[in-house]
PDB file of all heavy atoms in Angstrom:
ATOM      1  N   ILE A 177       0.842  -1.191   0.000  1.00 82.00           N
ATOM      2  CA  ILE A 177       0.002   0.014  -0.002  1.00 82.00           C
ATOM      3  C   ILE A 177       0.865   1.240  -0.004  1.00 82.00           C
ATOM      4  O   ILE A 177       1.730   1.386   0.888  1.00 82.00           O
ATOM      5  CB  ILE A 177      -0.920   0.025   1.228  1.00 82.00           C
ATOM      6  CG1 ILE A 177      -1.750  -1.257   1.316  1.00 82.00           C
ATOM      7  CG2 ILE A 177      -1.819   1.262   1.181  1.00 82.00           C
ATOM      8  CD1 ILE A 177      -2.501  -1.410   2.613  1.00 82.00           C
ATOM      9  N   PHE A 178       0.653   2.096  -0.956  1.00 86.00           N
ATOM     10  CA  PHE A 178       1.353   3.395  -0.965  1.00 86.00           C
ATOM     11  C   PHE A 178       0.669   4.345  -0.021  1.00 86.00           C
ATOM     12  O   PHE A 178       1.335   5.024   0.774  1.00 86.00           O
ATOM     13  CB  PHE A 178       1.412   3.947  -2.394  1.00 86.00           C
ATOM     14  CG  PHE A 178       2.092   5.297  -2.447  1.00 86.00           C
ATOM     15  CD1 PHE A 178       3.484   5.385  -2.402  1.00 86.00           C
ATOM     16  CD2 PHE A 178       1.368   6.451  -2.538  1.00 86.00           C
ATOM     17  CE1 PHE A 178       4.124   6.621  -2.455  1.00 86.00           C
ATOM     18  CE2 PHE A 178       1.984   7.707  -2.598  1.00 86.00           C
ATOM     19  CZ  PHE A 178       3.364   7.781  -2.550  1.00 86.00           C
ATOM     20  N   LYS A 179      -0.639   4.426  -0.099  1.00 89.00           N
ATOM     21  CA  LYS A 179      -1.394   5.299   0.744  1.00 89.00           C
ATOM     22  C   LYS A 179      -2.848   4.848   0.777  1.00 89.00           C
ATOM     23  O   LYS A 179      -3.398   4.449  -0.243  1.00 89.00           O
ATOM     24  CB  LYS A 179      -1.323   6.730   0.233  1.00 89.00           C
ATOM     25  CG  LYS A 179      -2.100   7.732   1.081  1.00 89.00           C
ATOM     26  CD  LYS A 179      -2.058   9.108   0.458  1.00 89.00           C
ATOM     27  CE  LYS A 179      -2.882  10.110   1.270  1.00 89.00           C
ATOM     28  NZ  LYS A 179      -2.880  11.475   0.654  1.00 89.00           N
ATOM     29  N   ILE A 180      -3.460   4.923   1.958  1.00 91.00           N
ATOM     30  CA  ILE A 180      -4.888   4.667   2.093  1.00 91.00           C
ATOM     31  C   ILE A 180      -5.632   5.975   2.042  1.00 91.00           C
ATOM     32  O   ILE A 180      -5.426   6.859   2.879  1.00 91.00           O
ATOM     33  CB  ILE A 180      -5.188   3.935   3.406  1.00 91.00           C
ATOM     34  CG1 ILE A 180      -4.570   2.526   3.367  1.00 91.00           C
ATOM     35  CG2 ILE A 180      -6.689   3.860   3.625  1.00 91.00           C
ATOM     36  CD1 ILE A 180      -4.781   1.739   4.638  1.00 91.00           C
ATOM     37  N   ASN A 181      -6.482   6.146   1.040  1.00 93.00           N
ATOM     38  CA  ASN A 181      -7.250   7.352   0.890  1.00 93.00           C
ATOM     39  C   ASN A 181      -8.437   7.426   1.842  1.00 93.00           C
ATOM     40  O   ASN A 181      -8.761   8.491   2.368  1.00 93.00           O
ATOM     41  CB  ASN A 181      -7.695   7.545  -0.540  1.00 93.00           C
ATOM     42  CG  ASN A 181      -6.565   7.880  -1.477  1.00 93.00           C
ATOM     43  OD1 ASN A 181      -5.528   8.411  -1.078  1.00 93.00           O
ATOM     44  ND2 ASN A 181      -6.743   7.575  -2.762  1.00 93.00           N
ATOM     45  N   SER A 182      -9.097   6.288   2.015  1.00 95.00           N
ATOM     46  CA  SER A 182     -10.241   6.253   2.921  1.00 95.00           C
ATOM     47  C   SER A 182     -10.461   4.830   3.378  1.00 95.00           C
ATOM     48  O   SER A 182     -10.102   3.847   2.733  1.00 95.00           O
ATOM     49  CB  SER A 182     -11.505   6.799   2.219  1.00 95.00           C
ATOM     50  OG  SER A 182     -11.912   5.918   1.197  1.00 95.00           O
ATOM     51  N   MET A 183     -11.103   4.723   4.556  1.00 96.00           N
ATOM     52  CA  MET A 183     -11.527   3.432   5.086  1.00 96.00           C
ATOM     53  C   MET A 183     -12.940   3.625   5.628  1.00 96.00           C
ATOM     54  O   MET A 183     -13.315   4.705   6.067  1.00 96.00           O
ATOM     55  CB  MET A 183     -10.602   2.979   6.226  1.00 96.00           C
ATOM     56  CG  MET A 183      -9.133   2.837   5.810  1.00 96.00           C
ATOM     57  SD  MET A 183      -8.076   2.148   7.137  1.00 96.00           S
ATOM     58  CE  MET A 183      -8.509   0.388   7.041  1.00 96.00           C
ATOM     59  N   GLY A 184     -13.705   2.535   5.567  1.00 97.00           N
ATOM     60  CA  GLY A 184     -15.059   2.657   6.053  1.00 97.00           C
ATOM     61  C   GLY A 184     -15.713   1.294   6.294  1.00 97.00           C
ATOM     62  O   GLY A 184     -15.115   0.246   6.132  1.00 97.00           O
ATOM     63  N   TRP A 185     -16.983   1.382   6.682  1.00 98.00           N
ATOM     64  CA  TRP A 185     -17.792   0.218   6.971  1.00 98.00           C
ATOM     65  C   TRP A 185     -19.108   0.318   6.247  1.00 98.00           C
ATOM     66  O   TRP A 185     -19.752   1.358   6.230  1.00 98.00           O
ATOM     67  CB  TRP A 185     -18.043   0.093   8.470  1.00 98.00           C
ATOM     68  CG  TRP A 185     -16.817  -0.188   9.288  1.00 98.00           C
ATOM     69  CD1 TRP A 185     -16.000   0.712   9.871  1.00 98.00           C
ATOM     70  CD2 TRP A 185     -16.289  -1.477   9.567  1.00 98.00           C
ATOM     71  NE1 TRP A 185     -14.979   0.076  10.532  1.00 98.00           N
ATOM     72  CE2 TRP A 185     -15.134  -1.265  10.363  1.00 98.00           C
ATOM     73  CE3 TRP A 185     -16.666  -2.777   9.262  1.00 98.00           C
ATOM     74  CZ2 TRP A 185     -14.346  -2.332  10.843  1.00 98.00           C
ATOM     75  CZ3 TRP A 185     -15.883  -3.831   9.734  1.00 98.00           C
ATOM     76  CH2 TRP A 185     -14.749  -3.602  10.509  1.00 98.00           C
ATOM     77  N   TYR A 186     -19.492  -0.789   5.627  1.00 98.00           N
ATOM     78  CA  TYR A 186     -20.803  -0.972   5.036  1.00 98.00           C
ATOM     79  C   TYR A 186     -21.463  -2.163   5.707  1.00 98.00           C
ATOM     80  O   TYR A 186     -20.797  -2.999   6.320  1.00 98.00           O
ATOM     81  CB  TYR A 186     -20.708  -1.205   3.531  1.00 98.00           C
ATOM     82  CG  TYR A 186     -20.256   0.017   2.742  1.00 98.00           C
ATOM     83  CD1 TYR A 186     -18.948   0.466   2.794  1.00 98.00           C
ATOM     84  CD2 TYR A 186     -21.148   0.687   1.927  1.00 98.00           C
ATOM     85  CE1 TYR A 186     -18.524   1.583   2.064  1.00 98.00           C
ATOM     86  CE2 TYR A 186     -20.761   1.783   1.192  1.00 98.00           C
ATOM     87  CZ  TYR A 186     -19.435   2.226   1.276  1.00 98.00           C
ATOM     88  OH  TYR A 186     -19.037   3.323   0.533  1.00 98.00           O
ATOM     89  N   ARG A 187     -22.770  -2.234   5.583  1.00 98.00           N
ATOM     90  CA  ARG A 187     -23.465  -3.387   6.160  1.00 98.00           C
ATOM     91  C   ARG A 187     -24.578  -3.837   5.237  1.00 98.00           C
ATOM     92  O   ARG A 187     -25.115  -3.056   4.425  1.00 98.00           O
ATOM     93  CB  ARG A 187     -24.046  -3.057   7.547  1.00 98.00           C
ATOM     94  CG  ARG A 187     -25.194  -2.072   7.539  1.00 98.00           C
ATOM     95  CD  ARG A 187     -25.583  -1.713   8.992  1.00 98.00           C
ATOM     96  NE  ARG A 187     -26.716  -0.832   9.037  1.00 98.00           N
ATOM     97  CZ  ARG A 187     -27.164  -0.242  10.155  1.00 98.00           C
ATOM     98  NH1 ARG A 187     -26.558  -0.492  11.298  1.00 98.00           N
ATOM     99  NH2 ARG A 187     -28.225   0.555  10.107  1.00 98.00           N
ATOM    100  N   GLN A 188     -24.921  -5.105   5.354  1.00 98.00           N
ATOM    101  CA  GLN A 188     -26.000  -5.672   4.559  1.00 98.00           C
ATOM    102  C   GLN A 188     -26.790  -6.646   5.402  1.00 98.00           C
ATOM    103  O   GLN A 188     -26.256  -7.623   5.925  1.00 98.00           O
ATOM    104  CB  GLN A 188     -25.443  -6.376   3.319  1.00 98.00           C
ATOM    105  CG  GLN A 188     -26.483  -6.841   2.352  1.00 98.00           C
ATOM    106  CD  GLN A 188     -25.908  -7.249   1.006  1.00 98.00           C
ATOM    107  OE1 GLN A 188     -24.721  -7.591   0.917  1.00 98.00           O
ATOM    108  NE2 GLN A 188     -26.731  -7.213  -0.020  1.00 98.00           N
ATOM    109  N   ALA A 189     -28.065  -6.362   5.523  1.00 96.00           N
ATOM    110  CA  ALA A 189     -29.001  -7.246   6.219  1.00 96.00           C
ATOM    111  C   ALA A 189     -29.682  -8.132   5.184  1.00 96.00           C
ATOM    112  O   ALA A 189     -29.720  -7.819   4.004  1.00 96.00           O
ATOM    113  CB  ALA A 189     -30.035  -6.419   6.981  1.00 96.00           C
ATOM    114  N   PRO A 190     -30.228  -9.264   5.638  1.00 91.00           N
ATOM    115  CA  PRO A 190     -30.895 -10.172   4.709  1.00 91.00           C
ATOM    116  C   PRO A 190     -31.989  -9.471   3.927  1.00 91.00           C
ATOM    117  O   PRO A 190     -32.778  -8.695   4.473  1.00 91.00           O
ATOM    118  CB  PRO A 190     -31.488 -11.249   5.632  1.00 91.00           C
ATOM    119  CG  PRO A 190     -30.554 -11.271   6.806  1.00 91.00           C
ATOM    120  CD  PRO A 190     -30.177  -9.831   7.024  1.00 91.00           C
ATOM    121  N   GLU A 191     -32.030  -9.700   2.656  1.00 91.00           N
ATOM    122  CA  GLU A 191     -33.035  -9.161   1.746  1.00 91.00           C
ATOM    123  C   GLU A 191     -32.947  -7.643   1.571  1.00 91.00           C
ATOM    124  O   GLU A 191     -33.886  -7.033   1.046  1.00 91.00           O
ATOM    125  CB  GLU A 191     -34.459  -9.549   2.192  1.00 91.00           C
ATOM    126  CG  GLU A 191     -34.650 -11.025   2.470  1.00 91.00           C
ATOM    127  CD  GLU A 191     -34.388 -11.868   1.248  1.00 91.00           C
ATOM    128  OE1 GLU A 191     -34.731 -11.425   0.143  1.00 91.00           O
ATOM    129  OE2 GLU A 191     -33.874 -13.000   1.400  1.00 91.00           O
ATOM    130  N   LYS A 192     -31.839  -7.038   1.982  1.00 94.00           N
ATOM    131  CA  LYS A 192     -31.674  -5.608   1.821  1.00 94.00           C
ATOM    132  C   LYS A 192     -30.361  -5.312   1.086  1.00 94.00           C
ATOM    133  O   LYS A 192     -29.464  -6.130   1.036  1.00 94.00           O
ATOM    134  CB  LYS A 192     -31.691  -4.914   3.173  1.00 94.00           C
ATOM    135  CG  LYS A 192     -33.046  -4.937   3.878  1.00 94.00           C
ATOM    136  CD  LYS A 192     -33.069  -4.043   5.089  1.00 94.00           C
ATOM    137  CE  LYS A 192     -34.427  -4.009   5.727  1.00 94.00           C
ATOM    138  NZ  LYS A 192     -34.447  -3.078   6.902  1.00 94.00           N
ATOM    139  N   GLN A 193     -30.285  -4.111   0.548  1.00 95.00           N
ATOM    140  CA  GLN A 193     -29.091  -3.673  -0.166  1.00 95.00           C
ATOM    141  C   GLN A 193     -28.005  -3.280   0.816  1.00 95.00           C
ATOM    142  O   GLN A 193     -28.261  -2.882   1.950  1.00 95.00           O
ATOM    143  CB  GLN A 193     -29.420  -2.492  -1.069  1.00 95.00           C
ATOM    144  CG  GLN A 193     -30.350  -2.802  -2.230  1.00 95.00           C
ATOM    145  CD  GLN A 193     -30.605  -1.601  -3.114  1.00 95.00           C
ATOM    146  OE1 GLN A 193     -30.441  -0.465  -2.688  1.00 95.00           O
ATOM    147  NE2 GLN A 193     -30.995  -1.873  -4.344  1.00 95.00           N
ATOM    148  N   ARG A 194     -26.753  -3.391   0.337  1.00 96.00           N
ATOM    149  CA  ARG A 194     -25.649  -2.936   1.166  1.00 96.00           C
ATOM    150  C   ARG A 194     -25.679  -1.411   1.285  1.00 96.00           C
ATOM    151  O   ARG A 194     -25.923  -0.686   0.310  1.00 96.00           O
ATOM    152  CB  ARG A 194     -24.323  -3.386   0.514  1.00 96.00           C
ATOM    153  CG  ARG A 194     -23.112  -3.129   1.397  1.00 96.00           C
ATOM    154  CD  ARG A 194     -21.861  -3.795   0.787  1.00 96.00           C
ATOM    155  NE  ARG A 194     -21.997  -5.234   0.726  1.00 96.00           N
ATOM    156  CZ  ARG A 194     -21.019  -6.058   0.389  1.00 96.00           C
ATOM    157  NH1 ARG A 194     -19.809  -5.570   0.110  1.00 96.00           N
ATOM    158  NH2 ARG A 194     -21.229  -7.359   0.333  1.00 96.00           N
ATOM    159  N   GLU A 195     -25.440  -0.926   2.494  1.00 97.00           N
ATOM    160  CA  GLU A 195     -25.521   0.494   2.744  1.00 97.00           C
ATOM    161  C   GLU A 195     -24.294   0.991   3.522  1.00 97.00           C
ATOM    162  O   GLU A 195     -23.677   0.246   4.264  1.00 97.00           O
ATOM    163  CB  GLU A 195     -26.787   0.844   3.549  1.00 97.00           C
ATOM    164  CG  GLU A 195     -26.828   0.251   4.945  1.00 97.00           C
ATOM    165  CD  GLU A 195     -28.040   0.640   5.748  1.00 97.00           C
ATOM    166  OE1 GLU A 195     -28.782   1.546   5.301  1.00 97.00           O
ATOM    167  OE2 GLU A 195     -28.256   0.076   6.817  1.00 97.00           O
ATOM    168  N   LEU A 196     -23.981   2.254   3.316  1.00 97.00           N
ATOM    169  CA  LEU A 196     -22.889   2.896   4.038  1.00 97.00           C
ATOM    170  C   LEU A 196     -23.232   3.045   5.511  1.00 97.00           C
ATOM    171  O   LEU A 196     -24.305   3.510   5.878  1.00 97.00           O
ATOM    172  CB  LEU A 196     -22.571   4.268   3.455  1.00 97.00           C
ATOM    173  CG  LEU A 196     -21.586   5.123   4.258  1.00 97.00           C
ATOM    174  CD1 LEU A 196     -20.186   4.531   4.143  1.00 97.00           C
ATOM    175  CD2 LEU A 196     -21.588   6.566   3.770  1.00 97.00           C
ATOM    176  N   VAL A 197     -22.306   2.640   6.364  1.00 98.00           N
ATOM    177  CA  VAL A 197     -22.428   2.875   7.800  1.00 98.00           C
ATOM    178  C   VAL A 197     -21.616   4.097   8.198  1.00 98.00           C
ATOM    179  O   VAL A 197     -22.149   5.053   8.779  1.00 98.00           O
ATOM    180  CB  VAL A 197     -21.970   1.649   8.638  1.00 98.00           C
ATOM    181  CG1 VAL A 197     -22.059   1.943  10.114  1.00 98.00           C
ATOM    182  CG2 VAL A 197     -22.785   0.412   8.266  1.00 98.00           C
ATOM    183  N   ALA A 198     -20.339   4.089   7.854  1.00 98.00           N
ATOM    184  CA  ALA A 198     -19.453   5.219   8.160  1.00 98.00           C
ATOM    185  C   ALA A 198     -18.193   5.114   7.360  1.00 98.00           C
ATOM    186  O   ALA A 198     -17.765   4.004   6.995  1.00 98.00           O
ATOM    187  CB  ALA A 198     -19.131   5.248   9.660  1.00 98.00           C
ATOM    188  N   SER A 199     -17.568   6.218   7.085  1.00 98.00           N
ATOM    189  CA  SER A 199     -16.286   6.259   6.406  1.00 98.00           C
ATOM    190  C   SER A 199     -15.435   7.399   6.940  1.00 98.00           C
ATOM    191  O   SER A 199     -15.961   8.369   7.480  1.00 98.00           O
ATOM    192  CB  SER A 199     -16.457   6.389   4.877  1.00 98.00           C
ATOM    193  OG  SER A 199     -17.017   7.646   4.547  1.00 98.00           O
ATOM    194  N   ILE A 200     -14.128   7.275   6.749  1.00 97.00           N
ATOM    195  CA  ILE A 200     -13.201   8.294   7.193  1.00 97.00           C
ATOM    196  C   ILE A 200     -12.119   8.448   6.159  1.00 97.00           C
ATOM    197  O   ILE A 200     -11.549   7.462   5.679  1.00 97.00           O
ATOM    198  CB  ILE A 200     -12.653   7.994   8.596  1.00 97.00           C
ATOM    199  CG1 ILE A 200     -11.775   9.133   9.108  1.00 97.00           C
ATOM    200  CG2 ILE A 200     -11.892   6.660   8.614  1.00 97.00           C
ATOM    201  CD1 ILE A 200     -11.472   9.029  10.601  1.00 97.00           C
ATOM    202  N   SER A 201     -11.816   9.675   5.790  1.00 95.00           N
ATOM    203  CA  SER A 201     -10.795   9.968   4.758  1.00 95.00           C
ATOM    204  C   SER A 201      -9.430  10.070   5.387  1.00 95.00           C
ATOM    205  O   SER A 201      -9.256  10.082   6.625  1.00 95.00           O
ATOM    206  CB  SER A 201     -11.128  11.258   4.014  1.00 95.00           C
ATOM    207  OG  SER A 201     -10.927  12.375   4.844  1.00 95.00           O
ATOM    208  N   SER A 202      -8.425  10.159   4.525  1.00 89.00           N
ATOM    209  CA  SER A 202      -7.047  10.327   5.032  1.00 89.00           C
ATOM    210  C   SER A 202      -6.871  11.612   5.800  1.00 89.00           C
ATOM    211  O   SER A 202      -6.029  11.701   6.681  1.00 89.00           O
ATOM    212  CB  SER A 202      -6.055  10.282   3.853  1.00 89.00           C
ATOM    213  OG  SER A 202      -6.304  11.332   2.938  1.00 89.00           O
ATOM    214  N   GLY A 203      -7.690  12.603   5.484  1.00 90.00           N
ATOM    215  CA  GLY A 203      -7.640  13.863   6.200  1.00 90.00           C
ATOM    216  C   GLY A 203      -8.459  13.908   7.469  1.00 90.00           C
ATOM    217  O   GLY A 203      -8.434  14.920   8.184  1.00 90.00           O
ATOM    218  N   GLY A 204      -9.197  12.830   7.758  1.00 93.00           N
ATOM    219  CA  GLY A 204      -9.951  12.753   8.961  1.00 93.00           C
ATOM    220  C   GLY A 204     -11.413  13.114   8.858  1.00 93.00           C
ATOM    221  O   GLY A 204     -12.130  13.057   9.860  1.00 93.00           O
ATOM    222  N   SER A 205     -11.871  13.517   7.686  1.00 96.00           N
ATOM    223  CA  SER A 205     -13.295  13.838   7.541  1.00 96.00           C
ATOM    224  C   SER A 205     -14.111  12.551   7.562  1.00 96.00           C
ATOM    225  O   SER A 205     -13.691  11.525   7.042  1.00 96.00           O
ATOM    226  CB  SER A 205     -13.534  14.615   6.257  1.00 96.00           C
ATOM    227  OG  SER A 205     -13.176  13.859   5.130  1.00 96.00           O
ATOM    228  N   THR A 206     -15.311  12.641   8.130  1.00 98.00           N
ATOM    229  CA  THR A 206     -16.133  11.454   8.320  1.00 98.00           C
ATOM    230  C   THR A 206     -17.478  11.623   7.683  1.00 98.00           C
ATOM    231  O   THR A 206     -18.002  12.738   7.512  1.00 98.00           O
ATOM    232  CB  THR A 206     -16.317  11.144   9.829  1.00 98.00           C
ATOM    233  OG1 THR A 206     -16.911  12.277  10.475  1.00 98.00           O
ATOM    234  CG2 THR A 206     -14.985  10.832  10.476  1.00 98.00           C
ATOM    235  N   LYS A 207     -18.105  10.490   7.357  1.00 98.00           N
ATOM    236  CA  LYS A 207     -19.467  10.426   6.891  1.00 98.00           C
ATOM    237  C   LYS A 207     -20.181   9.301   7.607  1.00 98.00           C
ATOM    238  O   LYS A 207     -19.573   8.270   7.904  1.00 98.00           O
ATOM    239  CB  LYS A 207     -19.546  10.192   5.385  1.00 98.00           C
ATOM    240  CG  LYS A 207     -18.978  11.313   4.520  1.00 98.00           C
ATOM    241  CD  LYS A 207     -19.118  10.999   3.051  1.00 98.00           C
ATOM    242  CE  LYS A 207     -18.599  12.109   2.188  1.00 98.00           C
ATOM    243  NZ  LYS A 207     -18.702  11.806   0.745  1.00 98.00           N
ATOM    244  N   TYR A 208     -21.459   9.499   7.909  1.00 98.00           N
ATOM    245  CA  TYR A 208     -22.235   8.505   8.589  1.00 98.00           C
ATOM    246  C   TYR A 208     -23.584   8.309   7.895  1.00 98.00           C
ATOM    247  O   TYR A 208     -24.164   9.256   7.379  1.00 98.00           O
ATOM    248  CB  TYR A 208     -22.505   8.886  10.039  1.00 98.00           C
ATOM    249  CG  TYR A 208     -21.292   8.903  10.915  1.00 98.00           C
ATOM    250  CD1 TYR A 208     -20.566  10.073  11.121  1.00 98.00           C
ATOM    251  CD2 TYR A 208     -20.860   7.739  11.567  1.00 98.00           C
ATOM    252  CE1 TYR A 208     -19.444  10.092  11.921  1.00 98.00           C
ATOM    253  CE2 TYR A 208     -19.731   7.746  12.375  1.00 98.00           C
ATOM    254  CZ  TYR A 208     -19.028   8.924  12.544  1.00 98.00           C
ATOM    255  OH  TYR A 208     -17.916   8.947  13.367  1.00 98.00           O
ATOM    256  N   GLY A 209     -24.029   7.072   7.909  1.00 97.00           N
ATOM    257  CA  GLY A 209     -25.387   6.822   7.457  1.00 97.00           C
ATOM    258  C   GLY A 209     -26.377   7.444   8.447  1.00 97.00           C
ATOM    259  O   GLY A 209     -26.127   7.514   9.657  1.00 97.00           O
ATOM    260  N   ASP A 210     -27.517   7.884   7.924  1.00 97.00           N
ATOM    261  CA  ASP A 210     -28.489   8.575   8.776  1.00 97.00           C
ATOM    262  C   ASP A 210     -28.942   7.718   9.954  1.00 97.00           C
ATOM    263  O   ASP A 210     -29.202   8.253  11.053  1.00 97.00           O
ATOM    264  CB  ASP A 210     -29.713   8.969   7.937  1.00 97.00           C
ATOM    265  CG  ASP A 210     -29.411  10.093   6.973  1.00 97.00           C
ATOM    266  OD1 ASP A 210     -28.406  10.815   7.167  1.00 97.00           O
ATOM    267  OD2 ASP A 210     -30.160  10.244   6.005  1.00 97.00           O
ATOM    268  N   SER A 211     -29.061   6.441   9.774  1.00 96.00           N
ATOM    269  CA  SER A 211     -29.592   5.580  10.805  1.00 96.00           C
ATOM    270  C   SER A 211     -28.651   5.363  11.983  1.00 96.00           C
ATOM    271  O   SER A 211     -29.071   4.853  13.026  1.00 96.00           O
ATOM    272  CB  SER A 211     -29.983   4.225  10.236  1.00 96.00           C
ATOM    273  OG  SER A 211     -28.874   3.537   9.721  1.00 96.00           O
TER     274      SER A 211
END
């Protein structure tokens, strides 16, 4: 790995689509799913 730009978590429940849970960029900015 030269550099990791972002890391995050997704989840998938039975019979549902995969959705974003949370992510974090190399600069530390974060995103979260509404739930």
Side-chain angles (χ1 to χ4, degrees):
I177 305 170
F178 178 78
K179 180 184 178 182
I180 294 178
N181 289 336
S182 68
M183 302 185 77
W185 293 92
Y186 291 72
R187 68 186 183 188
Q188 187 167 23
E191 308 299 325
K192 292 189 176 182
Q193 294 182 338
R194 187 171 298 188
E195 64 177 351
L196 171 70
V197 178
S199 66
I200 185 166
S201 72
S202 60
S205 62
T206 58
K207 295 181 179 180
Y208 293 93
D210 289 339
S211 64

